[in-house]
Amino acid sequence: MAIRVVKVARPEKMSFGESVYLLEIVKGLGVTMRHFLRNMARQENIPTIEYPEVRRVMPARFRGCHRLMKRPGGAPRCVACYMCATACPAKCITIVAGESPDPKIEKYPVRFDIDMLRCVFCGQCVEACPVDAIRMDTGWYTMPENTREKLIYTIDMLLEK
Amino acid sequence: MPTFTINGMTASVPDGTMILEAARQIGIEIPHYCYHPKLSIAGNCRMCLVEVEKFPKLQISCNTVVTEGMVVRTDTEKVRKAVTGVLELMLIHHPIDCPICDQAGECGLQNYYMKFGLHKSRYALEEKVHKKKVQDIGGQIVLDAERCILCSRCVRFLREVTGTCEMEFFSRSDHSEISIFPGRPLNNNYTGNLADICPVGALTNKDFRFKCRVWFLKSADSICPGCANGCNVMADFKGDILYRFRPRRNDAVNRTWLCDAGRLEYKKANDYRLLTPVIREAGQAIAAAWDAALFTTALRLREAIEAHGPESVAVIASPQSSNEELFLVRKLAAEVVRTPYLGFSSLTPGRRLEDDFLIKADKNPNSQGARLLGITEEGFVRTVKAISEGRIRALLVFGSGLADFSDGETVALLSRVPFVAQVATNEGALSRAAHAVLPSASFAERGGTFTNFAGRVQRFQPGFPPRGKAKNDIEVIAGLANQLGAGWKFAGEESVFRALAETARPFSGMSYESIGDLGREARDGGPPSGGR
Ligand code: SF4
Ligand code: SF4
Ligand code: SF4
Ligand code: SF4
């Protein structure tokens, strides 16, 4: 997929009309009205979607919430090498490594927590992983919760996604 | 003293010096695996090849003696190509387990690959020879034969240093494999060193296994607190948790080795720590603020002095304390409390293993320091006698335990004293019985000096600030003394050491600079003289 880069030229100074913002608000309301009237006129292909029941399909390279991959047997693919935690600029990945009962695996993550509140969605963790165990391809971009604790994703949550 | 030229630089080195050592001395690094300064020369890894003028072929620098007029080059294309070739050969069957290998970050293969290799593998993954992985071979060691580069350092260590010869190579060529003899695991007290000397991740430490990636660790130059030998170590920590000890080279003390028991001594600074001051009144333990705890302790000491005289107060020093702390303890006992009851015990519970190499029977790092400062074991015996006769009304104890007393003996003895205050790092029967517990910083959280069994004064450096509410012993002792009206002004261990060097004869003329990184012998008497 080719990437198209759009360069937007911004004016050095805002004109008087722009600086009072009134015109911009009217313009914005105009867009809202246009969508409203279009939705009223015909019901299929409406621009407004019923979020969160309906979600937009994000582009393939969109960086959303993380997930951890599994091996064919169901064990986590992650080998607890700490590469992601080392690369992470937000220092939001906490790993505790342990000795796996399977000698072929040797090292596995006993704990693997991502503090989503601190994550900046940079994707460095995905880049760093030597075994493609962590991905950000879930397409999920919002995660509203009512407590902070629920936004610390544990290994079980990450393996489920 | 032959004079030779290396990469255009001229230098003179002592007779018999090998090129590799000579180059190291003038700051030129020659890559090597099998060479180790404290083991015999094997010359089998071929990484240290250098070009020597008038020699038809490249020479191994670890085993070529420098001669007069020799011209050596380590930076030519020929050398580089040879080294890259050797490295490629070593990596042919290597599993490249780096993600799960504890050596990653301090691995000879990784480091040299980045410097000299950077080649693409020409060997198919499926054709690699596989060997036995994850073998518990006894001691503190896990063996992964696949990662071994057959340098024979481990074999030579077990032959030359411990003399136990547990490991050997088996099979031939590609299938050569390092292993122990069937059914005969490592059996010596120095196995941990194998993980240090193995240049790759074939031998790794069981205790450290998977605990932490090495690049997260910071390191403080320290002294092992495990016995009177005072082995030099690097204490590796992350945050306020210690993860391991690694030996620090000091040819006069431990060379580059460390015993297995000592290697686990770091745990003392992590586990069962006293972290808040506690006052125990009517059997009820209450966490207290530092000011309140110091005030209460000083008050009870003063009450005892006023009601029953200074000989109703006793002070028990700890050989786990530094020279600086012991100096202040002695000062406190002699000048502030003015009690004749001051002593320490070098005994510890459990078996006191000893050998003729590093391990000493005295399991304290600073018994000799206490002796040189005039604190005696005889004083301890007298104090214990006075306590059991009920003559002591208030007792100030340093250290986590009392000599080799069992928990029961400790409790029985302390029940004879109306007020016991303890300054210590770790909990135990003593801290559960004491009326005031003043938590102090561990060896990794404070600085100072220890005097080893031979009278060598060595510094240990703080790694991180005291955990929890623990405080530096110097602050605690000075705080107590000042509550008792002493008016001391000590700021940090260096100022205490200066006062110590001025007044205590064995330490006269010493300073932190003259002790340096590797320590210096204390004088047993003799006239004071300036620093070396
Ligand atoms: S996306 Fe970036 S910030 Fe978030 S966990 Fe990965 S590396 Fe850290
Ligand atoms: S980089 Fe990959 S394998 Fe390594 S700890 Fe992170 S997720 Fe696991
Ligand atoms: S010894 Fe370990 S860290 Fe070194 S290259 Fe091999 S697998 Fe990687
Ligand atoms: S196990 Fe380590 S020290 Fe022993 S021969 Fe192999 S690479 Fe060398």
Side-chain angles (χ1 to χ4, degrees):
Chain A
M1 191 166 55
I3 308 165
R4 196 164 52 95
V5 180
V6 183
K7 276 232 167 83
V8 182
R10 298 196 192 278
E12 287 278 293
K13 264 187 83 179
M14 285 193 277
S15 67
F16 175 73
E18 283 166 339
S19 68
V20 293
Y21 292 111
L22 195 63
L23 193 64
E24 303 303 310
I25 290 171
V26 174
K27 270 195 202 163
L29 283 173
V31 173
T32 313
M33 277 317 272
R34 198 169 70 229
H35 284 182
F36 175 69
L37 292 174
R38 221 169 64 210
N39 289 353
M40 296 300 281
R42 77 195 147 83
Q43 295 281 310
E44 70 272 7
N45 267 342
I46 55 174
T48 310
I49 59 167
E50 287 182 21
Y51 182 83
E53 285 80 15
V54 185
R55 301 180 66 95
R56 268 199 207 293
V57 178
M58 301 312 285
R61 291 178 44 164
F62 175 77
R63 291 198 296 266
C65 290
H66 310 69
R67 66 172 171 144
L68 284 178
M69 309 300 291
K70 287 182 189 165
R71 298 176 195 240
R77 198 188 275 176
C78 169
V79 294
C81 69
Y82 289 74
M83 288 299 139
C84 50
T86 306
C88 177
K91 303 255 170 296
C92 62
I93 305 181
T94 310
I95 304 169
V96 175
E99 180 100 39
S100 169
D102 182 351
K104 285 222 169 54
I105 296 179
E106 253 190 80
K107 195 180 180 187
Y108 83 109
V110 180
R111 263 184 63 193
F112 192 109
D113 300 344
I114 305 183
D115 185 346
M116 297 309 280
L117 289 165
R118 276 163 68 182
C119 174
V120 296
F121 291 89
C122 62
Q124 295 291 329
C125 48
V126 180
E127 288 292 315
C129 183
V131 293
D132 189 18
I134 189 166
R135 290 188 187 168
M136 294 178 79
D137 59 357
T138 49
W140 280 83
Y141 43 91
T142 41
M143 359 152 211
E145 293 288 0
N146 50 10
T147 64
R148 284 168 185 273
E149 288 69 37
K150 286 187 193 157
L151 281 163
I152 297 177
Y153 286 5
T154 59
I155 184 162
D156 298 325
M157 295 160 79
L158 290 162
L159 282 168
E160 276 312 298
K161 284 189 191 291
Chain B
M1 288 274 281
T3 303
F4 80 121
T5 312
I6 177 163
N7 294 355
M9 272 189 275
T10 308
S12 296
V13 291
D15 277 326
T17 311
M18 302 298 171
I19 297 175
L20 193 145
E21 267 304 328
R24 197 211 303 263
Q25 279 164 27
I26 52 176
I28 293 173
E29 191 208 342
I30 298 177
H32 59 271
Y33 289 121
C34 70
Y35 173 79
H36 187 282
K38 295 286 164 220
L39 298 175
S40 66
I41 293 169
N44 60 21
C45 79
R46 318 310 281 185
M47 271 300 275
C48 65
L49 290 170
V50 294
E51 212 175 327
V52 183
E53 227 166 64
K54 303 200 182 78
F55 276 83
K57 287 207 234 168
L58 298 179
Q59 296 297 308
I60 48 168
S61 61
C62 70
N63 205 12
T64 309
V65 179
V66 173
T67 53
E68 186 60 42
M70 193 179 237
V71 179
V72 181
R73 291 221 73 99
T74 70
D75 52 1
T76 59
E77 193 49 38
K78 196 170 163 194
V79 172
R80 212 192 144 82
K81 248 180 122 173
V83 171
T84 307
V86 171
L87 197 60
E88 185 176 2
L89 185 71
M90 275 176 191
L91 284 168
I92 275 187
H93 296 293
H94 198 77
I96 323 281
D97 277 337
C98 309
I100 55 164
C101 177
D102 269 341
Q103 192 80 3
E106 52 186 16
C107 170
L109 283 171
Q110 285 186 332
N111 292 347
Y112 290 151
Y113 178 80
M114 298 311 287
K115 260 195 197 150
F116 305 100
L118 293 177
H119 56 271
K120 286 249 175 330
S121 176
R122 289 185 270 175
Y123 208 73
L125 209 56
E126 308 77 55
E127 286 171 31
K128 291 205 177 203
V129 173
H130 292 292
K131 292 170 192 169
K132 260 180 95 183
K133 299 177 82 72
V134 213
Q135 307 172 57
D136 181 346
I137 56 167
Q140 298 187 339
I141 299 297
V142 179
L143 164 66
D144 186 313
E146 214 164 71
R147 296 182 195 148
C148 172
I149 56 166
L150 310 171
C151 73
S152 84
R153 273 188 185 182
C154 53
V155 178
R156 279 174 286 146
F157 173 82
L158 293 171
R159 196 179 292 155
E160 295 160 16
V161 180
T162 65
T164 44
C165 308
E166 293 102 330
M167 294 178 80
E168 240 333 317
F169 293 122
F170 298 88
S171 303
R172 286 192 299 173
S173 80
D174 275 0
H175 296 268
S176 294
E177 186 169 337
I178 186 79
S179 189
I180 50 169
F181 298 95
R184 287 170 56 191
L186 294 177
N187 181 22
N188 63 71
N189 291 319
Y190 296 90
T191 58
N193 296 301
L194 291 167
D196 295 333
I197 58 168
C198 179
V200 298
L203 302 170
T204 51
N205 195 294
K206 233 185 270 174
D207 176 64
F208 183 63
R209 189 165 161 86
F210 301 161
K211 289 245 179 81
C212 187
R213 287 308 222 167
V214 297
W215 54 84
F216 294 126
L217 295 173
K218 293 202 188 91
S219 188
D221 282 1
S222 196
I223 301 294
C224 172
C227 85
N229 199 53
C231 294
N232 292 211
V233 299
M234 287 178 276
D236 290 351
F237 59 94
K238 183 174 126 194
D240 59 5
I241 305 284
L242 277 180
Y243 279 89
R244 61 174 179 180
F245 274 173
R246 278 178 303 150
R248 182 158 57 92
R249 183 168 172 183
N250 188 340
D251 290 352
V253 182
N254 55 314
R255 279 166 260 184
T256 56
W257 317 125
L258 211 55
C259 79
D260 284 354
R263 221 172 258 274
L264 301 180
E265 279 291 311
Y266 75 89
K267 295 189 178 194
K268 270 195 207 160
N270 295 344
D271 306 337
Y272 307 107
R273 284 290 301 277
L274 295 165
L275 295 173
T276 21
V278 169
I279 299 286
R280 196 172 273 111
E281 263 161 11
Q284 195 81 334
I286 309 157
W290 263 105
D291 287 347
L294 281 179
F295 179 80
T296 311
T297 309
L299 183 75
R300 300 293 301 265
L301 291 180
R302 191 180 305 125
E303 276 172 6
I305 298 172
E306 278 163 11
H308 306 276
E311 54 288 344
S312 69
V313 176
V315 179
I316 296 177
S318 164
Q320 293 279 336
S321 298
S322 67
N323 292 319
E324 291 80 352
E325 291 147 14
L326 289 170
F327 170 71
L328 291 186
V329 170
R330 190 189 64 174
K331 209 170 158 69
L332 179 79
E335 294 171 19
V336 183
V337 180
R338 300 208 174 76
T339 171
Y341 292 112
L342 168 67
F344 84 101
S345 171
S346 65
L347 299 179
T348 40
R351 205 167 131 244
R352 290 187 289 276
L353 187 77
E354 180 182 25
D355 67 11
D356 54 3
F357 186 38
L358 299 180
I359 305 171
K360 301 287 174 287
D362 179 357
K363 297 297 170 203
N364 296 292
N366 203 26
S367 299
Q368 191 63 14
R371 283 184 206 111
L372 291 181
L373 282 164
I375 305 173
T376 59
E377 302 208 52
E378 181 269 323
F380 178 80
V381 176
R382 261 191 307 120
T383 306
V384 170
K385 186 155 175 282
I387 293 173
S388 48
E389 285 167 5
R391 283 186 278 129
I392 301 297
R393 315 291 305 170
L395 174 66
L396 180 59
V397 191
F398 290 83
S400 307
L402 276 181
D404 55 351
F405 296 174
S406 69
D407 289 3
E409 285 168 334
T410 306
V411 172
L413 186 71
L414 294 186
S415 66
R416 309 277 304 163
V417 188
F419 178 75
V420 179
Q422 186 200 15
V423 183
T425 50
N426 296 77
E427 57 183 59
L430 190 46
S431 74
R432 286 189 288 275
H435 302 96
V437 178
L438 307 173
S440 68
S442 75
F443 58 88
E445 297 154 10
R446 63 189 216 272
T449 55
F450 288 143
T451 310
N452 83 347
F453 77 102
R456 193 183 182 84
V457 181
Q458 308 188 94
R459 275 187 78 184
F460 60 98
Q461 311 266 5
F464 44 89
R467 281 174 69 187
K469 292 208 186 106
K471 262 193 184 181
N472 203 316
D473 297 52
I474 292 177
E475 271 178 69
V476 179
I477 305 165
L480 263 181
N482 289 340
Q483 289 270 4
L484 291 168
W488 288 358
K489 287 188 194 65
F490 290 110
E493 63 268 11
E494 186 152 15
S495 71
V496 181
F497 192 80
R498 249 178 272 135
L500 162 73
E502 272 162 28
T503 51
R505 239 171 119 74
F507 299 92
S508 60
M510 281 194 182
S511 67
Y512 275 5
E513 287 85 65
S514 75
I515 294 171
D517 291 337
L518 298 180
R520 202 185 132 179
E521 303 279 323
R523 259 179 307 275
D524 232 332
S529 69
R532 245 184 298 184

